[in-house]
Structure formats: C-alpha cells, structure tokens
Amino acid sequence: MSLHEKIPPAATDGAYMAAALSLGRRTMGRTAPNPAVGALVVKDGVTIARGFTAEGGRPHAETVALAAAGEAARGATLYVTLEPCSHDGRTPPCVNAIIAAGVARVVAAIEDPDSRVAGRGFAKLREAGIEVAVGPEAAAARCDHLGHILRVTKHRPMVTLKLAQTADGYAAGAAHDPRLHITGPIADAYTHVQRSLHDAIMVGSGTAREDDPLMTVRLPGIDGAKRLRVVLDRKLILSPRSRLAATARETPLLVIAGDDVSEDAARAFVEATGADVARVPTIDCRLDLLAALRLLADRGITRVFSEGGPLVAESLLSAGLADEFILHTGFKPLGRPGRPALTPAARAALETRYRLIESRMLGADQMARYTRMD
C-alpha cells in the first residue's frame, strides 16, 4: 500500500468525497425510499471504479462500485457519502460486500441515523480490521441526504418550497385575472430541474384549480421522468376534468383530503380518475400539514418539491416544515394590486427562521435560496 493510501491528506479525502457526492446526485429524486448515495474506489491515487444508487434504491452505490472494481478493490480505499448499511433488508448488508472485497480503508461523509445502522456499519468494518474515517464533506452530505435523515429521525420528508413573485411582490393578479407568467425560460428550466431532483411535486387546491398545472418534469433527456404529484385538497374539490386528474392514469396523482371527506366521495373520485386519495386530520379548517407529510414518508417519499402558492407557503414557513425555500423574482412588476406571494406571517417566518444561502440571476429573473436555521 502506498504512503498516499496510509496517510491521505484531508484535502484529498475532501476532493474524492465531493466527486462521490456528485455521483450520488445523478439519481436524486429516483431512489426513494433509499438515499441517493455515491461511491468511489480509489487505489494508489487512481479512481478505479464508481457507483451510485440505482433507480428504485437498489443496488446500493457501494456494491455497484465494488462490482466494477473487482479484484482491484483489494487494498483500496472506498469513499461513500453515507455510512454503509449493516442490516439485512431486500439486499444483503453493504458492509459484508466491503469486507469480502478486501477494502483496506473506508471514508464516509456522515453516519446514517437510521436506527438499523447508526454506527453499526462503521463498527463492523473496524472489527474486520478496516480503517474507517468519517467527516469529509459532511455538511454537503447532510444536505444531499436530508430527505433520508428527516424520514428516519422526524418521520417526514424534506421539503423544498418554491414561489415566484413579480418585481413588486405579487404571485397572482386580482380574482378572475388571467394567470401570470412571472419568470422567463431559464428560471422555468431551473424549476423543472428541481422537480427532477425530488420524489414528489406538491401544490395546494387553489393553485391546482386556478392554474390547472400538469406538474410534470419537462426537460430534454428526462421528459419521461414521472414524479408523484400531490394535491393538498381538504374538501376534495379538484375537478376530474383538470389536467392533473385527466392524466392520473399516465402519471401518478395523490390527492390528500381532510378526514371529513366521505369514503363514498373519495371512492368516486378514484374510480373517475385513477388517482389515489388519502385523508388526514384538519386543524382550524386546514389540512394538518405535518400529518400529510408523514403520510408521504410512510409511502417512501423522502424529498418533496412544493409549488403550492401563498397559503401553502405560509403554512410551511410558519411551521418550519420548509427545509429550503427558493424565491424567484421576475423583472416585471404587476403594477396594480394583486395577491402577495408572501403573506405577513410568511415574511415574518422567513426573516426569523431562515437564512439566505444563495442569490443569483437566472436570465432576467433573480433567484434567492434560503435554508431553515436549526
């Protein structure tokens, strides 16, 4: 084994881990309920194999990389963005494959908080005489794996909230005004990229009714990608003739209604559209958002992209349930009274519970990205 393998500089570990994270992002939004992990096998300073979690969550990144490396993995270093699993599930534990491959050293970004793993993977590797290092690019890994982390620790998926506003702060015109097209093609393409990186796309019933969206991923090369579409619809008033309902047999649609909606009404909607209907409790005549998110977590969803409009945005921000917030501001003002994108309660929550982490131009539009402070 080379000196480089025995005493790798921290900067080298960080660079390899950054590459592993980039690999993992290739299938982000397509691996639920498993996290999108990346892995590299490195020997004598040369990357000899790569792997990332396959669509559907299996096989895992480590086993893909080790299979590609073959006998060359013996004595090598494995870089992996999340602690290797140590429990029997639908596939054997990754730690068994790592030990069998003869890997000399494992570098992981973070420990897996899943109670079935939670340090046991590292312990088994060390018991087998494998050197283990934890920590390079930990902050980036926590960000990438936040959906998995929250699902196993908080029983909910991570939520990215997105809103668009005119230059003077409106999300829509007055009642009965035509739908606004606030952002240009570059910001619109960015939204489709974000949709592709999440397991589900969520809106409120008002947005579904007024905008009649498709909520699909429409980008060259991935326009066939299908994400679960979710409508928060307390009274189950979504029209069966809406574009969402009319395409439910082609692209999955889940309508989350209040628990006071009758079984007969839910069954009739399902039979008419092919959509799925679930019911959760209500609080103050609104859906219990945490209950809705936990329902999604129970269905294996780890990452939700919410385009739900001002009322859903207020609820998510005020409750601290939006983990990231993306605000697009168009360059044109509405120039007359309309519906504010951020209600006073939403703005207060944004100022006190979130911090700005990125601001840049997407064509003529400004994009600001915030993260929850906790």
Side-chain angles (χ1 to χ4, degrees):
M1 185 182 294
S2 69
L3 180 63
H4 171 75
E5 285 293 303
K6 289 180 179 177
I7 314 174
T12 302
D13 279 351
Y16 283 129
M17 190 61 71
L21 285 163
S22 294
L23 278 171
R25 295 180 193 121
R26 291 187 180 187
T27 48
M28 187 175 284
R30 290 176 284 167
T31 64
N34 290 342
V37 174
L40 293 177
V41 181
V42 178
K43 193 170 187 179
D44 297 328
V46 177
T47 300
I48 58 175
R50 301 170 177 84
F52 48 86
T53 308
E55 292 190 29
R58 298 175 186 85
H60 293 181
E62 302 96 312
T63 56
V64 172
L66 292 172
E71 278 300 310
R74 194 162 299 279
T77 295
L78 173 70
Y79 290 88
V80 60
T81 62
L82 184 67
E83 179 182 4
C85 65
S86 54
H87 60 284
D88 285 294
R90 293 177 63 182
T91 57
C94 286
V95 292
N96 292 2
I98 296 169
I99 294 168
V103 168
R105 182 171 182 262
V106 172
V107 181
I110 56 174
E111 180 179 299
D112 188 345
D114 189 329
S115 60
R116 298 170 298 176
V117 187
R120 293 181 183 89
F122 294 146
K124 287 187 176 181
L125 293 173
R126 290 185 176 112
E127 288 168 6
I130 297 173
E131 181 188 345
V132 175
V134 184
E137 295 294 312
R142 277 192 292 270
C143 180
D144 284 4
H145 298 315
L146 183 60
H148 168 72
I149 292 168
L150 289 176
R151 184 169 177 263
V152 299
T153 61
K154 303 292 186 182
H155 189 198
R156 72 167 179 88
M158 71 85 68
V159 177
T160 301
L161 169 66
K162 178 230 119 178
L163 275 180
Q165 65 177 3
T166 59
D168 46 1
Y170 295 108
H176 310 300
D177 277 6
R179 177 186 177 185
L180 292 180
H181 197 116
I182 295 173
T183 52
I186 298 177
D188 291 350
Y190 181 87
T191 292
H192 281 276
V193 170
Q194 291 301 312
R195 287 178 178 179
S196 76
L197 295 174
H198 292 74
D199 312 325
I201 306 164
M202 184 173 75
V203 297
S205 59
T207 298
R209 181 179 64 253
E210 295 166 15
D211 293 353
D212 194 23
L214 269 176
M215 286 165 53
T216 53
V217 179
R218 300 186 295 278
L219 284 174
I222 58 172
D223 51 5
K226 294 184 178 181
R227 302 292 183 267
L228 176 66
R229 302 172 301 169
V230 180
V231 179
L232 302 173
D233 187 4
R234 185 178 71 83
K235 297 182 179 180
L236 193 56
I237 59 175
L238 181 68
S239 170
R241 294 182 295 276
S242 67
R243 295 205 294 170
L244 282 167
T247 57
R249 288 185 171 88
E250 304 161 15
T251 304
L253 172 67
L254 170 64
V255 180
I256 302 180
D259 55 6
D260 54 347
V261 169
S262 72
E263 185 69 39
D264 289 343
R267 187 184 304 111
F269 188 84
V270 170
E271 292 174 352
T273 65
D276 192 5
V277 175
R279 292 172 293 173
V280 298
T282 59
I283 300 175
D284 296 330
C285 297
R286 289 189 180 186
L287 288 179
D288 182 339
L289 268 182
L290 181 56
L293 292 174
R294 285 180 168 168
L295 182 147
L296 293 175
D298 287 340
R299 293 181 176 223
I301 298 299
T302 63
R303 294 173 57 82
V304 174
F305 189 62
S306 176
E307 302 181 58
L311 289 180
V312 172
E314 176 188 295
S315 298
L316 289 170
L317 290 169
S318 297
L321 293 174
D323 302 291
E324 286 198 358
F325 175 42
I326 297 171
L327 180 63
H328 294 288
T329 303
F331 73 97
K332 290 183 179 179
L334 180 62
R336 61 183 186 279
R339 183 183 308 166
L342 290 168
T343 65
R347 193 172 295 280
L350 182 63
E351 292 173 353
T352 57
R353 305 183 72 165
Y354 293 81
R355 63 183 176 88
L356 180 68
I357 58 172
E358 182 182 8
S359 180
R360 59 190 171 100
M361 301 302 293
L362 297 175
D365 309 308
Q366 183 185 42
M367 186 274 290
R369 189 161 64 97
Y370 301 80
T371 189
R372 183 167 44 84
M373 294 186 293
D374 59 12

